[in-house]
């Protein structure tokens, strides 16, 4: 039996009868898979929260982009997601998941701790 995940481009699984986590309710691509902990910052079209994954137990950054009824998802968010899916480098934050709902687009990133040091 072959399963095609709607959340992972090109992601397939072959096996007996159980679909992968990404195909089940509450898996990857589902907002129930992440819990918001605290707000980290706010930009012109998104708010970033510290969160935790109920799938892996790891701390993540949740970038919530509000979709407007008239304009839909901002083009900059679509471009950001498509570029980050392709780019793999130690200096570029990892995009773990994308959650798409009627009112919100959430990009799930690796959580990076920032240490500020005085430069002067």
């Amino acid at each position: 039996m072959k399963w095609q995940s709607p959340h992972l481009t090109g992601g397939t699984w072959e096996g007996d009868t159980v679909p992968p986590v990404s195909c089940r309710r509450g898996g990857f691509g589902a907002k129930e898979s992440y819990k918001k902990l605290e707000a980290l910052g706010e930009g012109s079209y998104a708010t970033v929260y510290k969160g935790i994954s109920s799938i892996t137990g790891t701390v993540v950054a949740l970038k919530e982009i509000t979709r407007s009824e008239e304009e839909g998802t901002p083009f900059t968010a679509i471009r950001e997601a498509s570029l980050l899916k392709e780019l793999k480098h130690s200096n570029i934050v990892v995009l773990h998941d994308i959650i798409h709902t009627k009112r919100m687009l959430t990009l799930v990133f690796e959580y990076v701790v920032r240490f500020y040091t005085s430069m002067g």
Side-chain angles (χ1 to χ4, degrees):
M1 179 177 285
K2 187 173 182 178
W3 294 86
Q4 181 75 29
S5 170
H7 305 294
L8 302 174
T9 305
T12 59
W13 175 80
E14 295 191 36
D16 295 336
T17 57
V18 181
V21 173
S22 60
C23 292
R24 289 185 247 145
R25 181 178 172 90
F28 290 104
K31 67 179 183 174
E32 297 85 15
S33 299
Y34 303 95
K35 179 182 177 186
K36 281 194 277 187
L37 300 177
E38 63 186 84
L40 297 175
E42 193 169 333
S44 57
Y45 70 94
T47 303
V48 179
Y49 297 92
K50 182 177 182 179
I52 190 160
S53 167
S54 62
I55 300 169
T56 63
T58 58
V59 176
V60 294
L62 304 168
K63 184 174 188 177
E64 292 188 342
I65 303 159
T66 305
R67 302 176 67 228
S68 71
E69 296 247 348
E70 302 83 31
E71 298 180 24
T73 304
F75 179 74
T76 51
I78 296 167
R79 181 175 38 202
E80 177 181 5
S82 62
L83 284 172
L84 286 171
K85 278 176 53 177
E86 302 296 322
L87 298 172
K88 305 294 179 217
H89 190 275
S90 61
N91 293 336
I92 299 174
V93 69
V94 176
L95 176 63
H96 290 301
D97 200 0
I98 299 173
I99 303 165
H100 187 262
T101 64
K102 189 173 183 176
R103 290 184 281 195
M104 188 97 46
L105 178 69
T106 304
L107 304 179
V108 182
F109 294 101
E110 71 176 313
Y111 180 75
V112 179
V113 179
R114 284 181 80 176
F115 295 102
Y116 294 98
T117 58
S118 176
M119 295 184 71

